[in-house]
Amino acid sequence: MVGFFSIAPVAVVYLQRLHLRQFRNYAEQWVEFVAPKTILVGDNAQGKSNLLEAVELLATLRSHRTSRDGDLVRSAQDCAQITGWIDRAAGPLELSLSLRRVGRRTLVRSGETLRRQLDGLGSLNAVEFSSLDLDLVRGGPEQRRRWLDGLVMQLEPIYAHLLRQYERVLRQRNALLRDWAKQRRQGQALSDRAAELAIWDAQLAATGTRLIRRRARAIARLAPLASRWHGAISGRVETLTLTYAPNVAIAPDVWQLPALEEARAIEATLLAQIRDQAEIEQYQGTSLVGPHRDEVTLAVDDAPAKQYGSQGQQRTLVLALKLAELCAIEAVVGEPPLLLLDDVLAELDLARQNQLLGAIADRFQTIVTTTHLGAFDARWLDSAQVLTVRSGEIVA
Amino acid sequence: MLYAAQRRRCAVYTRPLARLIEQLQRLPGIGPKSAQRLALYLLNRPEAEIQTLAQALLDAKQQVGHCQVCYHLSAEPVCEVCSNPNRDQQTICVVADSRDLIAIERTREYRGRYHVLGGVISPMDGIGPESLTIQPLVQRVHREKTHEVILAIGPSIEGETTTLYLSQLLKPFTKVTRIAFGLPVGGELEYADEVTLAKALEGRREVE
Ligand SMILES: [Zn+2]
């Protein structure tokens, strides 16, 4: 791993070329990345963020702006395509994602159509930082769960599959509970579904345990990095504590057990708490226990971050999280991820900007969007590739 | 959009032809283009051939039902597998549907009998244990004094749930085994969850 604050001498351009076709407001666009830093400059709503979104989709197969593929296809078109040429230690590869207004996506890696698209995860890693990320501090637990899930997927791509399995069990179990509660309300004779429910309980505990262990593992990696970065940015006056707070109370000594026993202990705890809540669940008709109700707590000097400080201080916190994410992915994957900065630089004060720019240095291929170049440090501008975006085209 | 497309086709095709295309399009895996191609092909065949096809459809629908014993598709009250005296009467292989039975038969490895559930447990689709042929299976195991029940249901979440449900139900009465499926995704052992890996190891078979 590259040292914490050290600066790697050689910067690698991992994403070398990008081609967009009928994507958002781009009809057809080639982008060549020739420097580790690329600045996309242009007025609002010209397509700067769309370009970052395309890179995010290639890396994570999801967009933080929409969950509907139809939104990603240029108006009056049926299909959008994003293709990236990536050069990594494992060798060069070409990744192409087709998104359709109607119908399923296709993902092609170096000429091979992936039957399971989740297998394409990990071909490219990226961390995105946009103004929406302030919701990590201000928003509800679901925002932080979504963020954590996105991170774990990049650290351990199989997590995407495990998450899907859990969500499937949850939906099935909720359907059963809902059905049961409805029968009860309508005063119908209750069919005995206890045996069936017991199996779904076991499935929820088994698939849920896989999520809990991986989330805990990711936070354990991230937490020390986040507090170090936060200390560095805030001048070491305040301490950030990042904690994984699973919905089921797990005894602290469980985390010290060998892997298989740890898994068994968590599964048993989960199952016991499901049993405890059985009556309430059957009455309410929904699952109340499990990692779908997990939380990640952020505290600064032991005070909950939500109530903490100014907008600037909350930005510092999110910035520390993002830098920690970068380092965690770099340590696990072995190569630094791309950093995508969507319009956030202008929102940071000069001191924090310099912290960020110093941290990035030449270590991470970085793509930045901005409305004006004035906000940038001159040394940065000199080494960066500047592209001007105007109504879905790169004009210079 | 679909409505507009239908109207357009009605304007182009004479009514009986449009109706044929409409019907073909309802078949699984047949889109508008294939439906049109099939319809035009059929129109060009001799009438006798069309008669034979239509009769075959009707015969299949009217004559094929479910085997009284195992619920496999069968024209006779008891299917060929169940009525074959050379097959092991003491082993029942449980599958979700007739397609799975046919797949296992093709391997020619299995000499016992079957039981077709008619689906898997899926509350989202309103399918509980009572909508499957689980009760008849339990009765059968009692009646036939079955030695072994092999569960051969796919490894989806719903398949797994059905497998677990059946093994709990049947274990008090007979030996229950399940066929081993490979590791779920990716196949990389290092990424496989310990629980998954342990399960895969439990389900291992001796290499012949
Ligand atoms: Zn039969």
Side-chain angles (χ1 to χ4, degrees):
Chain A
M1 182 196 173
V2 180
F4 184 61
F5 289 113
S6 77
I7 289 165
V10 190
V12 183
V13 181
Y14 290 97
L15 177 63
Q16 299 191 321
R17 197 196 297 164
L18 189 68
H19 179 240
L20 305 180
R21 211 178 60 201
Q22 312 299 359
F23 177 77
R24 290 279 193 188
N25 68 337
Y26 291 90
E28 169 115 28
Q29 184 67 55
W30 287 94
V31 191
E32 302 278 345
F33 296 99
V34 296
K37 296 189 200 75
T38 303
I39 299 173
L40 301 169
V41 62
D43 291 337
N44 286 325
Q46 300 300 303
K48 305 186 300 288
S49 301
N50 296 345
L51 206 147
L52 286 194
E53 186 182 32
V55 178
E56 183 194 13
L57 273 160
L58 277 186
T60 64
L61 301 182
R62 49 184 210 169
S63 159
H64 69 284
R65 297 155 95 200
T66 181
S67 55
R68 290 194 339 202
D69 282 2
D71 295 345
L72 303 166
V73 181
R74 193 159 169 261
S75 59
Q77 300 293 324
D78 293 325
C79 179
Q81 196 178 40
I82 310 165
T83 309
W85 283 261
I86 300 153
D87 190 16
R88 295 181 57 167
L93 66 92
E94 184 186 321
L95 196 64
S96 184
L97 178 65
S98 299
L99 306 149
R100 295 181 175 80
R101 197 170 289 282
V102 184
R104 280 170 52 89
R105 298 173 168 191
T106 37
L107 183 64
V108 179
R109 187 173 55 192
S110 300
E112 180 204 356
T113 302
L114 297 181
R115 204 169 49 84
R116 276 188 306 241
Q117 290 174 15
L118 298 177
D119 291 350
L121 282 174
S123 305
L124 182 70
N125 291 108
V127 172
E128 163 131 22
F129 184 10
S130 78
S131 49
L132 290 175
D133 288 316
L134 273 183
D135 287 345
L136 282 179
V137 181
R138 297 178 190 161
E142 68 281 359
Q143 316 259 6
R144 284 178 289 279
R145 276 197 300 272
R146 193 180 145 77
W147 160 75
L148 178 58
D149 285 340
L151 172 66
V152 187
M153 271 179 222
Q154 297 213 48
L155 297 177
E156 309 180 45
I158 199 175
Y159 184 80
H161 174 74
L162 300 177
L163 184 63
R164 278 238 288 244
Q165 284 194 321
Y166 178 77
E167 284 168 350
R168 183 93 192 158
V169 171
L170 188 64
R171 273 165 61 201
Q172 290 283 19
R173 191 172 183 275
N174 283 342
L176 178 59
L177 289 171
R178 202 163 44 237
D179 226 37
W180 213 354
K182 198 169 128 199
Q183 280 186 18
R184 189 188 307 266
R185 276 199 306 277
Q186 295 173 346
Q188 292 173 7
L190 293 179
S191 53
D192 181 24
R193 304 185 83 168
E196 192 188 347
L197 183 63
I199 304 295
W200 287 114
D201 293 351
Q203 292 274 60
L204 192 88
T207 53
T209 298
R210 293 176 194 149
L211 302 195
I212 292 171
R213 296 188 61 222
R214 286 181 164 77
R215 284 177 176 178
R217 200 145 75 201
I219 292 293
R221 247 177 213 293
L222 203 68
L225 292 167
S227 29
R228 274 151 82 185
W229 275 117
H230 190 261
I233 303 167
S234 67
R236 296 195 187 282
V237 286
E238 303 153 320
T239 312
L240 167 66
T241 317
L242 182 64
T243 320
Y244 174 47
N247 159 258
V248 287
I250 292 164
D253 55 343
V254 165
W255 303 111
Q256 319 301 326
L257 294 171
L260 207 67
E261 286 162 50
E262 178 193 285
R264 286 209 186 105
I266 295 171
E267 201 173 333
T269 311
L270 198 45
L271 210 48
Q273 296 196 20
I274 291 172
R275 302 254 155 86
D276 272 358
Q277 300 287 311
E279 248 176 79
I280 307 174
E281 281 192 334
Q282 283 164 33
Y283 184 77
Q284 294 195 3
T286 191
S287 300
L288 300 172
V289 180
H292 61 291
R293 293 165 76 103
D294 279 355
E295 169 67 297
V296 178
T297 58
L298 300 164
V300 176
D301 285 344
D302 297 326
K306 214 180 231 182
Q307 291 127 40
Y308 148 86
S310 64
Q311 186 156 306
Q313 282 167 313
Q314 293 183 344
R315 285 214 173 88
T316 301
L317 203 156
V318 177
L319 180 58
L321 285 182
K322 292 290 158 179
L323 290 168
E325 244 184 285
L326 278 179
C327 293
I329 293 174
E330 184 183 24
V332 171
V333 176
E335 284 176 285
L338 257 70
L339 176 59
L340 311 173
L341 297 175
D342 196 3
D343 238 4
V344 283
L345 223 46
E347 292 175 0
L348 297 172
D349 62 34
L350 269 176
R352 289 190 183 91
Q353 268 192 40
N354 285 331
Q355 281 283 355
L356 175 62
L357 298 181
I360 298 165
D362 275 343
R363 258 167 81 182
F364 303 99
Q365 182 180 357
T366 306
I367 309 175
V368 187
T369 67
T370 185
T371 44
H372 51 284
L373 293 172
F376 287 86
D377 184 280
R379 281 167 304 161
W380 235 68
L381 277 179
D382 287 344
S383 64
Q385 168 189 20
V386 179
L387 300 172
T388 305
V389 180
R390 194 177 302 143
S391 34
E393 261 184 278
I394 291 177
V395 290
Chain B
M1 216 169 77
L2 189 69
Y3 182 59
Q6 278 168 354
R7 269 216 311 230
R8 215 177 308 131
R9 191 161 56 233
C10 290
V12 175
Y13 296 115
T14 174
R15 198 169 256 273
L17 181 54
R19 219 155 45 209
L20 175 58
I21 294 174
E22 209 57 58
Q23 290 301 316
L24 289 170
Q25 215 181 308
R26 293 186 184 188
L27 301 175
I30 305 286
K33 281 210 179 100
S34 310
Q36 176 189 314
R37 195 164 46 82
L38 284 171
L40 294 177
Y41 169 84
L42 288 171
L43 272 191
N44 282 325
R45 304 310 298 170
E47 194 172 332
E49 203 175 298
I50 301 295
Q51 278 290 359
T52 313
L53 174 64
Q55 196 58 51
L57 282 172
L58 277 173
D59 287 352
K61 183 61 200 168
Q62 286 164 358
Q63 293 167 20
V64 178
H66 296 283
C67 167
Q68 290 169 358
V69 182
C70 75
Y71 293 88
H72 180 37
L73 296 172
S74 173
E76 307 300 324
V78 176
C79 78
E80 281 174 45
V81 177
C82 290
S83 53
N84 183 343
N86 294 324
R87 296 194 71 129
D88 176 6
Q89 313 283 310
Q90 307 283 282
T91 310
I92 298 176
C93 177
V94 179
V95 293
D97 60 39
S98 278
R99 264 180 314 178
D100 299 336
L101 186 155
I102 292 161
I104 295 174
E105 274 303 278
R106 284 217 184 96
T107 68
R108 299 186 183 280
E109 287 291 328
Y110 178 67
R111 299 303 304 159
R113 301 210 270 167
Y114 293 95
H115 192 88
V116 180
L117 291 174
V120 285
I121 295 172
S122 177
M124 268 157 54
D125 305 305
I127 304 174
E130 71 289 346
S131 5
L132 306 172
T133 63
I134 290 176
Q135 264 321 306
L137 173 63
V138 175
Q139 287 159 7
R140 214 182 138 189
V141 168
H142 272 286
R143 195 174 57 237
E144 298 176 6
K145 310 220 171 351
T146 309
H147 283 169
E148 183 178 359
V149 171
I150 303 169
L151 301 173
I153 304 161
S156 67
I157 289 293
E158 293 75 18
E160 184 69 18
T161 299
T162 310
T163 296
L164 292 172
Y165 182 84
L166 286 175
S167 52
Q168 296 223 335
L169 198 63
L170 296 170
K171 255 185 209 157
F173 312 113
T174 181
K175 179 183 173 191
V176 182
T177 58
R178 54 181 301 184
I179 64 165
F181 288 96
L183 288 168
V185 272
E188 301 141 291
L189 283 189
E190 56 188 304
Y191 283 127
D193 194 274
E194 287 80 356
V195 178
T196 316
L197 198 54
K199 212 161 71 187
L201 286 169
E202 282 160 19
R204 72 192 186 276
R205 292 282 149 105
E206 256 180 63
V207 182
E208 288 169 358

